[in-house]
Amino acid sequence: MKNSDSAALDHIETHLDDAIERLFSLMRVQSVSTDPAYAEQCRRAAALLAEELAGIGFDARVAPTPGHPMVVAHYDGPGPHILFYGHYDVQPIDPIELWTRDPFDPSLESRDDGSRIITGRGASDDKGQLRTFVEACRAWKETTGSLPCKITILFEGEEESGSQSLDPFLREHAEELQADFALICDTLMWDRETPGLTIGLRGMAAGEVTVRGPSRDLHSGLYGGPARNPIQLLATILGEMKDKDGRVTLAGFYDGVHPVGDAVRADWDRLGFDGAEYLGEVGLSQPAGEAGHDVLEQAWARPTAEVNGIWGGYTGEGFKTVIPAEAHAKISFRLVGDQDPDKVWAAFEAHVRDRLPADCTAEFSLRGPGSRAITVPSDSAALLATREALDAEWGKSALLGCGGSIPVVNSIRSILDMDTVLVGFALPDDNIHSPNEKYELKSFHKGMRSWVRILGKLGEMADARDAVAAA
Amino acid sequence: MKNSDSAALDHIETHLDDAIERLFSLMRVQSVSTDPAYAEQCRRAAALLAEELAGIGFDARVAPTPGHPMVVAHYDGPGPHILFYGHYDVQPIDPIELWTRDPFDPSLESRDDGSRIITGRGASDDKGQLRTFVEACRAWKETTGSLPCKITILFEGEEESGSQSLDPFLREHAEELQADFALICDTLMWDRETPGLTIGLRGMAAGEVTVRGPSRDLHSGLYGGPARNPIQLLATILGEMKDKDGRVTLAGFYDGVHPVGDAVRADWDRLGFDGAEYLGEVGLSQPAGEAGHDVLEQAWARPTAEVNGIWGGYTGEGFKTVIPAEAHAKISFRLVGDQDPDKVWAAFEAHVRDRLPADCTAEFSLRGPGSRAITVPSDSAALLATREALDAEWGKSALLGCGGSIPVVNSIRSILDMDTVLVGFALPDDNIHSPNEKYELKSFHKGMRSWVRILGKLGEMADARDAVAAA
């Protein structure tokens, strides 16, 4: 079956203002998930989306969870079965005084270069991005009367507040949510002209360590010298976590870390990435990662050990010559390949314990179960078809690594046993999670058009097996 | 001339209650120097002392300073000329809820072992201690009609709040305050039975370092790997400040550090100090100072490098995967012998700078000018006479090192060119600077008796030259 997407693409052009207004309507709903005061607004956002999906042919409902509800919708079309995930909740708006406009009063603004941006909380993350997909479904439905694929939609309402209900919900509804693969629109473009297909997401192990020495804070005039200083001890231990070449020294840390494949490396080389410029933008010039790997690999394909916070002793104005009883640090590891978050954290604990004098102790608290890295097969039929559609719309596309993690991709992998194709139209300067969030009108507009094309391409596949098989 | 101290000693016995009441009167004056709200009470404490000294034969006055006033008093007696220093101001009383009684309502309490303690702010530091000397003068005056020495008294009112006015005052009144040597009663006993003669005070160089990397806080999902983490950098730098044997690695750090002399070492050996017990009291068992030096030397006679505070990145509840723009530490060095505080701090700065990548910077702020260590000659006639008097009263005495510094001793040394003999009757558990400060009645009682004997002994010296000459 050959799907013609031209009518749907025309529909996007002629109904752009309507699409913007529908995004604005969703953005006006103050669905801040982390603050219980906004629970009713979260419920309203879910209801709004479910109602809309029902209007374009989905069997849609608001599904309760112990937290904010999910939106679940099914369309029983032809071709492969897609699970599309997005989230309708948004980050808090603090500090409100830094916004140039009410964050829940979205607007379309023109910039000096002639481009236009949609401003307001959720413009990009993830209301703007998820609506590019919904609008593409609408365009197909309103022009052809049907959608070219079988589609299940899952919109979450707790992504910005820890996704407490997500995994239980996926487990409980595993059969209902089962599809051939997943699509997510919550990631970045490479640049303003190049949409991104994210194929690697680093995993994470993170937690806190407290090193304890004396039973109480001591005065260094009395005890300075013979008494162990936990800050000095912690500094030594953390300092020894990396060697002079930027390599992490934890035992077995690099187990499961694989080199970047030649094909992906060649794709990356074509990006023309300038590591010096990338670092220069944040005032740096010396890559701090492992020697022998360029900046892009250090950020996308190599694991890290980071101290994200440290505190101990007297940190106020003036001075106290205290030897504190304890010192603390927050540590996180970004993981790649097959690194096991539990093993990495255990190696960190061993690294600390091995360096403790007999009269000192360490206490660890691992934050959550950690997450493994995700590697999306870069040669699956689904990904290649998606890329073909993106190339048709934009003239090019990029395979991206991602330095961070998107937990839902791990959940879809581990609970539903499905791969995910991540397509993103956001830009690094969208100010997601910050004041003055925006989404390029171009991202929104061409994002909708991209999904029209992607749905068409995917619908051309004979059946589900094609989509997940390697090309 | 031979001074008979028996009448004065008897007077102490028969007037103990009066002496306690005079101490109580002084303690009731809320002379908290750090809080401007108590300025009038500081003035009242100074006036009270000046009035009393005038009553026992001193030419006494309250001398203004830009801060709280000094008390200056002269008695033109025979023998060597002594400058006695004390301070009438006290520490703040916070946290007030931890006091079992109004800190400015002194009382005499009995303990289960039959001993008695004087409780309240200033009981020990320094109102109780300075009054042991004043009461000894009173006893001599009231029983013999005169004092056995020529005495100048200087009571400061800003010791607990930085002594801003002290050095300018000493410079301005250098001639008036000149004596053969100084006596101070603001230090510790060795134990409940053994008064202390403190002969070594460590000096200090202290300040803050800020290490800067990226121009702003970064997200480790984007920049983790290639971006330098200032916390990791600072930890490495501070970790490398000491080697595995507890030695400080700064270049030239040990220049001017001398071994403990054999005579003093022999005196210390007689103390029967138990390093394991000392550390055990604060939950430690492994001496953290330099290998090859026992706990007492580590605390009294060896220099240190301490991190007194460290902070950077996210230190609140939960977790942020931030790579911060900067990290901070407060550092202090306790100095001994002839170590130069400026050179030590410069070596620390060089240690940091040598380890900075080309794209990172460090900013330093040295806190104050630092202080050199003080070594009191342990064989001067003045010290030997004082010790003889202490031995007569207590049966023994101890030459002590002190891990901390007493800035006034440096000021007396550098501005007035005088040595100081430090005699102390305080105990480590006196809770100075803390709630429920106390002074042993025994310390107060035998302290007064000690000064009666010391004044008698010193007065026996033919003239000033004897007092400062080596025995």
Side-chain angles (χ1 to χ4, degrees), chain A residues 202 215 221-222 224 226 229 232 238 278 282 286 288 306-308 314 316 318 322 330 359 403, chain B residues 202 215 221-222 224 226 229 232 238 278 282 286 288 306-308 314 316 318 322 330 359 403:
Chain A
R202 291 193 291 192
S215 52
L222 281 172
N229 183 329
Q232 179 72 37
L238 297 180
Y278 180 77
V282 295
Q286 314 289 313
E306 295 286 356
V307 188
N308 303 112
Y314 182 70
V322 64
K330 292 179 193 278
D359 54 356
Chain B
R202 291 194 291 191
S215 52
L222 282 172
N229 184 329
Q232 179 73 37
L238 297 180
Y278 180 78
V282 295
Q286 314 290 312
E306 296 286 356
V307 188
N308 302 112
Y314 182 70
V322 64
K330 293 180 193 278
D359 54 356

mmCIF file of all heavy atoms in Angstrom, chain A residues 202 215 221-222 224 226 229 232 238 278 282 286 288 306-308 314 316 318 322 330 359 403, chain B residues 202 215 221-222 224 226 229 232 238 278 282 286 288 306-308 314 316 318 322 330 359 403:
data_model
loop_
_atom_site.group_PDB
_atom_site.id
_atom_site.type_symbol
_atom_site.label_atom_id
_atom_site.label_comp_id
_atom_site.label_asym_id
_atom_site.label_seq_id
_atom_site.Cartn_x
_atom_site.Cartn_y
_atom_site.Cartn_z
ATOM 1 N N ARG A 202 22.498 7.980 27.405
ATOM 2 C CA ARG A 202 23.303 7.456 28.510
ATOM 3 C C ARG A 202 22.404 7.104 29.700
ATOM 4 O O ARG A 202 21.402 7.764 29.959
ATOM 5 C CB ARG A 202 24.379 8.467 28.913
ATOM 6 C CG ARG A 202 25.452 8.623 27.847
ATOM 7 C CD ARG A 202 26.688 9.364 28.351
ATOM 8 N NE ARG A 202 26.423 10.761 28.605
ATOM 9 C CZ ARG A 202 27.388 11.668 28.836
ATOM 10 N NH1 ARG A 202 28.667 11.294 28.853
ATOM 11 N NH2 ARG A 202 27.100 12.918 29.057
ATOM 12 N N SER A 215 33.292 11.894 66.294
ATOM 13 C CA SER A 215 31.901 11.730 66.724
ATOM 14 C C SER A 215 31.177 13.057 66.844
ATOM 15 O O SER A 215 29.965 13.101 66.997
ATOM 16 C CB SER A 215 31.856 10.987 68.059
ATOM 17 O OG SER A 215 32.702 11.617 69.005
ATOM 18 N N GLY A 221 42.013 24.001 66.740
ATOM 19 C CA GLY A 221 43.031 24.424 67.699
ATOM 20 C C GLY A 221 43.342 23.333 68.710
ATOM 21 O O GLY A 221 44.449 23.226 69.211
ATOM 22 N N LEU A 222 42.340 22.510 68.995
ATOM 23 C CA LEU A 222 42.554 21.409 69.933
ATOM 24 C C LEU A 222 42.948 20.128 69.200
ATOM 25 O O LEU A 222 43.858 19.416 69.618
ATOM 26 C CB LEU A 222 41.269 21.127 70.723
ATOM 27 C CG LEU A 222 40.976 22.086 71.875
ATOM 28 C CD1 LEU A 222 39.589 21.808 72.437
ATOM 29 C CD2 LEU A 222 42.028 21.938 72.961
ATOM 30 N N GLY A 224 43.365 19.713 65.633
ATOM 31 C CA GLY A 224 43.982 19.788 64.306
ATOM 32 C C GLY A 224 45.325 19.070 64.284
ATOM 33 O O GLY A 224 46.226 19.433 65.019
ATOM 34 N N PRO A 226 46.035 15.403 64.867
ATOM 35 C CA PRO A 226 45.717 13.992 65.108
ATOM 36 C C PRO A 226 44.318 13.576 64.670
ATOM 37 O O PRO A 226 44.097 12.393 64.416
ATOM 38 C CB PRO A 226 45.873 13.842 66.628
ATOM 39 C CG PRO A 226 45.767 15.214 67.181
ATOM 40 C CD PRO A 226 46.307 16.128 66.129
ATOM 41 N N ASN A 229 40.140 14.583 59.344
ATOM 42 C CA ASN A 229 39.184 15.561 58.816
ATOM 43 C C ASN A 229 38.401 14.917 57.676
ATOM 44 O O ASN A 229 38.954 14.621 56.622
ATOM 45 C CB ASN A 229 39.952 16.788 58.322
ATOM 46 C CG ASN A 229 39.051 17.897 57.830
ATOM 47 O OD1 ASN A 229 37.963 17.630 57.318
ATOM 48 N ND2 ASN A 229 39.490 19.126 57.990
ATOM 49 N N GLN A 232 38.840 16.443 54.156
ATOM 50 C CA GLN A 232 40.105 16.065 53.507
ATOM 51 C C GLN A 232 40.015 14.638 52.966
ATOM 52 O O GLN A 232 40.432 14.349 51.848
ATOM 53 C CB GLN A 232 41.251 16.173 54.532
ATOM 54 C CG GLN A 232 42.624 15.792 53.994
ATOM 55 C CD GLN A 232 43.174 16.822 53.033
ATOM 56 O OE1 GLN A 232 42.985 18.008 53.228
ATOM 57 N NE2 GLN A 232 43.837 16.367 51.984
ATOM 58 N N LEU A 238 37.476 11.344 46.367
ATOM 59 C CA LEU A 238 36.858 11.779 45.105
ATOM 60 C C LEU A 238 37.932 12.154 44.087
ATOM 61 O O LEU A 238 37.783 11.904 42.888
ATOM 62 C CB LEU A 238 35.911 12.947 45.351
ATOM 63 C CG LEU A 238 34.713 12.642 46.254
ATOM 64 C CD1 LEU A 238 33.847 13.883 46.433
ATOM 65 C CD2 LEU A 238 33.877 11.487 45.697
ATOM 66 N N TYR A 278 31.893 24.226 20.952
ATOM 67 C CA TYR A 278 30.930 23.719 21.944
ATOM 68 C C TYR A 278 31.397 24.049 23.359
ATOM 69 O O TYR A 278 30.633 24.561 24.193
ATOM 70 C CB TYR A 278 30.796 22.214 21.753
ATOM 71 C CG TYR A 278 29.840 21.510 22.687
ATOM 72 C CD1 TYR A 278 28.468 21.587 22.492
ATOM 73 C CD2 TYR A 278 30.313 20.740 23.740
ATOM 74 C CE1 TYR A 278 27.587 20.914 23.329
ATOM 75 C CE2 TYR A 278 29.446 20.060 24.582
ATOM 76 C CZ TYR A 278 28.086 20.158 24.377
ATOM 77 O OH TYR A 278 27.224 19.497 25.200
ATOM 78 N N VAL A 282 30.649 27.698 26.770
ATOM 79 C CA VAL A 282 30.503 27.710 28.231
ATOM 80 C C VAL A 282 31.835 28.049 28.906
ATOM 81 O O VAL A 282 32.078 27.709 30.064
ATOM 82 C CB VAL A 282 29.950 26.360 28.760
ATOM 83 C CG1 VAL A 282 28.528 26.156 28.250
ATOM 84 C CG2 VAL A 282 30.845 25.193 28.373
ATOM 85 N N GLN A 286 39.504 23.104 27.369
ATOM 86 C CA GLN A 286 40.225 21.846 27.545
ATOM 87 C C GLN A 286 39.225 20.712 27.795
ATOM 88 O O GLN A 286 38.624 20.665 28.861
ATOM 89 C CB GLN A 286 41.163 21.932 28.760
ATOM 90 C CG GLN A 286 41.984 23.195 28.849
ATOM 91 C CD GLN A 286 43.064 23.252 27.791
ATOM 92 O OE1 GLN A 286 43.789 22.290 27.591
ATOM 93 N NE2 GLN A 286 43.135 24.363 27.076
ATOM 94 N N ALA A 288 37.589 17.717 29.229
ATOM 95 C CA ALA A 288 37.924 17.124 30.529
ATOM 96 C C ALA A 288 37.687 15.621 30.563
ATOM 97 O O ALA A 288 37.996 14.971 31.542
ATOM 98 C CB ALA A 288 37.101 17.803 31.626
ATOM 99 N N GLU A 306 30.688 12.101 37.976
ATOM 100 C CA GLU A 306 30.601 13.526 38.306
ATOM 101 C C GLU A 306 30.245 13.714 39.772
ATOM 102 O O GLU A 306 29.394 13.001 40.302
ATOM 103 C CB GLU A 306 29.496 14.224 37.486
ATOM 104 C CG GLU A 306 29.702 14.277 35.992
ATOM 105 C CD GLU A 306 30.760 15.277 35.545
ATOM 106 O OE1 GLU A 306 31.305 16.007 36.397
ATOM 107 O OE2 GLU A 306 31.041 15.301 34.336
ATOM 108 N N VAL A 307 30.890 14.688 40.397
ATOM 109 C CA VAL A 307 30.459 15.140 41.716
ATOM 110 C C VAL A 307 29.510 16.315 41.478
ATOM 111 O O VAL A 307 29.927 17.365 41.020
ATOM 112 C CB VAL A 307 31.651 15.577 42.589
ATOM 113 C CG1 VAL A 307 31.165 15.835 44.014
ATOM 114 C CG2 VAL A 307 32.750 14.535 42.565
ATOM 115 N N ASN A 308 28.233 16.105 41.753
ATOM 116 C CA ASN A 308 27.237 17.135 41.474
ATOM 117 C C ASN A 308 27.005 18.067 42.651
ATOM 118 O O ASN A 308 26.381 19.113 42.506
ATOM 119 C CB ASN A 308 25.914 16.497 41.059
ATOM 120 C CG ASN A 308 26.052 15.600 39.858
ATOM 121 O OD1 ASN A 308 25.903 14.381 39.956
ATOM 122 N ND2 ASN A 308 26.380 16.171 38.720
ATOM 123 N N TYR A 314 32.194 24.354 57.830
ATOM 124 C CA TYR A 314 31.591 25.673 57.914
ATOM 125 C C TYR A 314 31.612 26.328 56.539
ATOM 126 O O TYR A 314 32.671 26.482 55.933
ATOM 127 C CB TYR A 314 32.330 26.538 58.936
ATOM 128 C CG TYR A 314 31.697 27.895 59.072
ATOM 129 C CD1 TYR A 314 30.455 28.030 59.681
ATOM 130 C CD2 TYR A 314 32.314 29.029 58.561
ATOM 131 C CE1 TYR A 314 29.848 29.261 59.790
ATOM 132 C CE2 TYR A 314 31.712 30.272 58.669
ATOM 133 C CZ TYR A 314 30.482 30.379 59.286
ATOM 134 O OH TYR A 314 29.871 31.605 59.387
ATOM 135 N N GLY A 316 29.574 29.254 55.823
ATOM 136 C CA GLY A 316 28.948 30.574 55.862
ATOM 137 C C GLY A 316 29.968 31.684 55.706
ATOM 138 O O GLY A 316 31.114 31.475 55.312
ATOM 139 N N GLY A 318 32.641 34.480 56.854
ATOM 140 C CA GLY A 318 33.680 34.423 57.859
ATOM 141 C C GLY A 318 34.339 33.062 57.923
ATOM 142 O O GLY A 318 34.424 32.361 56.917
ATOM 143 N N VAL A 322 36.816 24.670 62.176
ATOM 144 C CA VAL A 322 36.163 23.437 62.590
ATOM 145 C C VAL A 322 36.743 22.245 61.839
ATOM 146 O O VAL A 322 37.138 22.352 60.672
ATOM 147 C CB VAL A 322 34.640 23.537 62.341
ATOM 148 C CG1 VAL A 322 34.338 23.675 60.852
ATOM 149 C CG2 VAL A 322 33.889 22.366 62.932
ATOM 150 N N LYS A 330 27.209 14.458 46.486
ATOM 151 C CA LYS A 330 26.258 13.828 45.567
ATOM 152 C C LYS A 330 27.039 13.458 44.318
ATOM 153 O O LYS A 330 27.748 14.286 43.751
ATOM 154 C CB LYS A 330 25.118 14.793 45.223
ATOM 155 C CG LYS A 330 24.200 15.107 46.403
ATOM 156 C CD LYS A 330 23.110 16.091 46.005
ATOM 157 C CE LYS A 330 22.388 16.646 47.220
ATOM 158 N NZ LYS A 330 21.349 15.773 47.751
ATOM 159 N N ASP A 359 38.958 4.112 61.522
ATOM 160 C CA ASP A 359 38.053 4.794 62.460
ATOM 161 C C ASP A 359 37.038 5.686 61.755
ATOM 162 O O ASP A 359 36.361 6.478 62.403
ATOM 163 C CB ASP A 359 38.847 5.603 63.490
ATOM 164 C CG ASP A 359 39.822 6.577 62.844
ATOM 165 O OD1 ASP A 359 39.940 6.571 61.597
ATOM 166 O OD2 ASP A 359 40.469 7.341 63.588
ATOM 167 N N GLY A 403 23.584 12.879 25.853
ATOM 168 C CA GLY A 403 24.358 12.732 27.075
ATOM 169 C C GLY A 403 23.533 12.337 28.273
ATOM 170 O O GLY A 403 24.040 11.795 29.243
ATOM 171 N N ARG B 202 50.293 27.435 68.473
ATOM 172 C CA ARG B 202 50.446 27.379 67.023
ATOM 173 C C ARG B 202 49.912 28.655 66.374
ATOM 174 O O ARG B 202 48.957 29.261 66.846
ATOM 175 C CB ARG B 202 49.725 26.149 66.462
ATOM 176 C CG ARG B 202 50.414 24.851 66.875
ATOM 177 C CD ARG B 202 49.944 23.652 66.086
ATOM 178 N NE ARG B 202 48.572 23.281 66.403
ATOM 179 C CZ ARG B 202 48.007 22.134 66.002
ATOM 180 N NH1 ARG B 202 48.696 21.265 65.277
ATOM 181 N NH2 ARG B 202 46.771 21.847 66.321
ATOM 182 N N SER B 215 31.511 28.756 32.477
ATOM 183 C CA SER B 215 31.035 30.113 32.741
ATOM 184 C C SER B 215 29.668 30.124 33.401
ATOM 185 O O SER B 215 29.214 31.151 33.874
ATOM 186 C CB SER B 215 30.986 30.914 31.432
ATOM 187 O OG SER B 215 30.253 30.206 30.446
ATOM 188 N N GLY B 221 23.784 15.967 31.686
ATOM 189 C CA GLY B 221 23.259 15.214 30.550
ATOM 190 C C GLY B 221 23.763 15.783 29.237
ATOM 191 O O GLY B 221 23.929 15.069 28.255
ATOM 192 N N LEU B 222 24.022 17.085 29.223
ATOM 193 C CA LEU B 222 24.544 17.703 28.006
ATOM 194 C C LEU B 222 26.063 17.754 28.019
ATOM 195 O O LEU B 222 26.708 17.445 27.030
ATOM 196 C CB LEU B 222 24.011 19.141 27.883
ATOM 197 C CG LEU B 222 22.577 19.299 27.400
ATOM 198 C CD1 LEU B 222 22.136 20.743 27.516
ATOM 199 C CD2 LEU B 222 22.472 18.821 25.948
ATOM 200 N N GLY B 224 28.250 16.514 30.617
ATOM 201 C CA GLY B 224 29.020 15.570 31.433
ATOM 202 C C GLY B 224 30.007 14.794 30.584
ATOM 203 O O GLY B 224 29.612 14.102 29.662
ATOM 204 N N PRO B 226 32.944 16.119 28.616
ATOM 205 C CA PRO B 226 33.903 17.105 28.128
ATOM 206 C C PRO B 226 34.069 18.322 29.030
ATOM 207 O O PRO B 226 35.112 18.972 28.974
ATOM 208 C CB PRO B 226 33.338 17.520 26.762
ATOM 209 C CG PRO B 226 31.893 17.134 26.791
ATOM 210 C CD PRO B 226 31.808 15.937 27.686
ATOM 211 N N ASN B 229 34.619 19.693 35.735
ATOM 212 C CA ASN B 229 33.785 19.857 36.929
ATOM 213 C C ASN B 229 34.638 20.463 38.048
ATOM 214 O O ASN B 229 35.557 19.819 38.545
ATOM 215 C CB ASN B 229 33.235 18.494 37.346
ATOM 216 C CG ASN B 229 32.287 18.577 38.525
ATOM 217 O OD1 ASN B 229 32.427 19.449 39.386
ATOM 218 N ND2 ASN B 229 31.318 17.683 38.570
ATOM 219 N N GLN B 232 35.206 18.291 41.181
ATOM 220 C CA GLN B 232 36.193 17.227 41.000
ATOM 221 C C GLN B 232 37.605 17.810 41.044
ATOM 222 O O GLN B 232 38.503 17.256 41.674
ATOM 223 C CB GLN B 232 35.942 16.539 39.647
ATOM 224 C CG GLN B 232 36.922 15.421 39.309
ATOM 225 C CD GLN B 232 36.682 14.193 40.146
ATOM 226 O OE1 GLN B 232 35.543 13.856 40.441
ATOM 227 N NE2 GLN B 232 37.755 13.530 40.574
ATOM 228 N N LEU B 238 42.774 19.411 46.662
ATOM 229 C CA LEU B 238 42.846 19.331 48.128
ATOM 230 C C LEU B 238 43.336 17.951 48.559
ATOM 231 O O LEU B 238 44.068 17.821 49.542
ATOM 232 C CB LEU B 238 41.480 19.640 48.745
ATOM 233 C CG LEU B 238 40.950 21.059 48.487
ATOM 234 C CD1 LEU B 238 39.593 21.249 49.150
ATOM 235 C CD2 LEU B 238 41.938 22.120 48.973
ATOM 236 N N TYR B 278 42.688 10.044 74.139
ATOM 237 C CA TYR B 278 42.355 11.386 73.650
ATOM 238 C C TYR B 278 41.537 11.304 72.374
ATOM 239 O O TYR B 278 40.496 11.953 72.234
ATOM 240 C CB TYR B 278 43.662 12.144 73.407
ATOM 241 C CG TYR B 278 43.513 13.550 72.902
ATOM 242 C CD1 TYR B 278 43.171 14.588 73.760
ATOM 243 C CD2 TYR B 278 43.771 13.858 71.566
ATOM 244 C CE1 TYR B 278 43.067 15.888 73.298
ATOM 245 C CE2 TYR B 278 43.671 15.158 71.097
ATOM 246 C CZ TYR B 278 43.319 16.169 71.969
ATOM 247 O OH TYR B 278 43.216 17.457 71.502
ATOM 248 N N VAL B 282 36.653 11.288 71.061
ATOM 249 C CA VAL B 282 35.906 11.867 69.940
ATOM 250 C C VAL B 282 35.677 10.829 68.842
ATOM 251 O O VAL B 282 35.473 11.157 67.677
ATOM 252 C CB VAL B 282 36.611 13.124 69.370
ATOM 253 C CG1 VAL B 282 36.628 14.221 70.420
ATOM 254 C CG2 VAL B 282 38.018 12.809 68.900
ATOM 255 N N GLN B 286 42.722 6.339 64.867
ATOM 256 C CA GLN B 286 43.890 6.383 63.987
ATOM 257 C C GLN B 286 44.424 7.817 63.921
ATOM 258 O O GLN B 286 43.779 8.677 63.328
ATOM 259 C CB GLN B 286 43.503 5.948 62.564
ATOM 260 C CG GLN B 286 42.655 4.699 62.476
ATOM 261 C CD GLN B 286 43.422 3.459 62.842
ATOM 262 O OE1 GLN B 286 44.523 3.259 62.353
ATOM 263 N NE2 GLN B 286 42.872 2.659 63.723
ATOM 264 N N ALA B 288 45.738 11.021 62.616
ATOM 265 C CA ALA B 288 45.701 11.423 61.210
ATOM 266 C C ALA B 288 46.857 12.332 60.824
ATOM 267 O O ALA B 288 47.010 12.680 59.670
ATOM 268 C CB ALA B 288 44.375 12.126 60.907
ATOM 269 N N GLU B 306 44.205 22.084 57.079
ATOM 270 C CA GLU B 306 42.846 21.592 57.280
ATOM 271 C C GLU B 306 41.888 22.247 56.304
ATOM 272 O O GLU B 306 41.970 23.453 56.060
ATOM 273 C CB GLU B 306 42.333 21.922 58.699
ATOM 274 C CG GLU B 306 43.066 21.260 59.841
ATOM 275 C CD GLU B 306 42.759 19.770 59.995
ATOM 276 O OE1 GLU B 306 41.897 19.241 59.255
ATOM 277 O OE2 GLU B 306 43.395 19.152 60.861
ATOM 278 N N VAL B 307 40.957 21.446 55.788
ATOM 279 C CA VAL B 307 39.832 22.008 55.040
ATOM 280 C C VAL B 307 38.698 22.177 56.050
ATOM 281 O O VAL B 307 38.154 21.199 56.542
ATOM 282 C CB VAL B 307 39.388 21.089 53.888
ATOM 283 C CG1 VAL B 307 38.351 21.805 53.025
ATOM 284 C CG2 VAL B 307 40.583 20.656 53.050
ATOM 285 N N ASN B 308 38.373 23.404 56.380
ATOM 286 C CA ASN B 308 37.358 23.655 57.405
ATOM 287 C C ASN B 308 35.949 23.778 56.843
ATOM 288 O O ASN B 308 34.975 23.756 57.589
ATOM 289 C CB ASN B 308 37.703 24.933 58.181
ATOM 290 C CG ASN B 308 39.072 24.858 58.828
ATOM 291 O OD1 ASN B 308 39.993 25.577 58.440
ATOM 292 N ND2 ASN B 308 39.208 23.962 59.789
ATOM 293 N N TYR B 314 24.964 21.218 43.807
ATOM 294 C CA TYR B 314 23.658 21.128 44.438
ATOM 295 C C TYR B 314 23.776 20.371 45.757
ATOM 296 O O TYR B 314 24.241 19.239 45.794
ATOM 297 C CB TYR B 314 22.660 20.414 43.518
ATOM 298 C CG TYR B 314 21.277 20.356 44.135
ATOM 299 C CD1 TYR B 314 20.522 21.501 44.275
ATOM 300 C CD2 TYR B 314 20.770 19.153 44.614
ATOM 301 C CE1 TYR B 314 19.276 21.473 44.858
ATOM 302 C CE2 TYR B 314 19.510 19.110 45.206
ATOM 303 C CZ TYR B 314 18.778 20.275 45.323
ATOM 304 O OH TYR B 314 17.549 20.239 45.919
ATOM 305 N N GLY B 316 21.094 20.488 48.219
ATOM 306 C CA GLY B 316 19.803 20.393 48.894
ATOM 307 C C GLY B 316 19.261 18.976 48.889
ATOM 308 O O GLY B 316 19.955 18.013 48.598
ATOM 309 N N GLY B 318 17.173 15.806 47.538
ATOM 310 C CA GLY B 318 17.029 15.282 46.188
ATOM 311 C C GLY B 318 18.313 15.386 45.388
ATOM 312 O O GLY B 318 19.408 15.342 45.960
ATOM 313 N N VAL B 322 23.939 18.574 38.139
ATOM 314 C CA VAL B 322 24.568 19.822 37.718
ATOM 315 C C VAL B 322 26.092 19.666 37.693
ATOM 316 O O VAL B 322 26.670 18.936 38.492
ATOM 317 C CB VAL B 322 24.160 20.965 38.676
ATOM 318 C CG1 VAL B 322 24.683 20.708 40.082
ATOM 319 C CG2 VAL B 322 24.627 22.321 38.181
ATOM 320 N N LYS B 330 37.159 26.487 52.473
ATOM 321 C CA LYS B 330 37.841 27.285 53.487
ATOM 322 C C LYS B 330 38.986 26.428 54.026
ATOM 323 O O LYS B 330 38.760 25.282 54.416
ATOM 324 C CB LYS B 330 36.884 27.667 54.618
ATOM 325 C CG LYS B 330 35.785 28.638 54.181
ATOM 326 C CD LYS B 330 34.858 28.975 55.343
ATOM 327 C CE LYS B 330 33.595 29.669 54.866
ATOM 328 N NZ LYS B 330 33.784 31.114 54.644
ATOM 329 N N ASP B 359 41.881 26.241 31.263
ATOM 330 C CA ASP B 359 40.601 26.957 31.154
ATOM 331 C C ASP B 359 39.913 27.175 32.492
ATOM 332 O O ASP B 359 38.755 27.567 32.543
ATOM 333 C CB ASP B 359 39.663 26.243 30.171
ATOM 334 C CG ASP B 359 39.455 24.780 30.522
ATOM 335 O OD1 ASP B 359 40.096 24.286 31.487
ATOM 336 O OD2 ASP B 359 38.656 24.121 29.833
ATOM 337 N N GLY B 403 47.297 23.719 70.692
ATOM 338 C CA GLY B 403 47.067 23.545 69.266
ATOM 339 C C GLY B 403 46.574 24.802 68.584
ATOM 340 O O GLY B 403 46.708 24.948 67.373
#
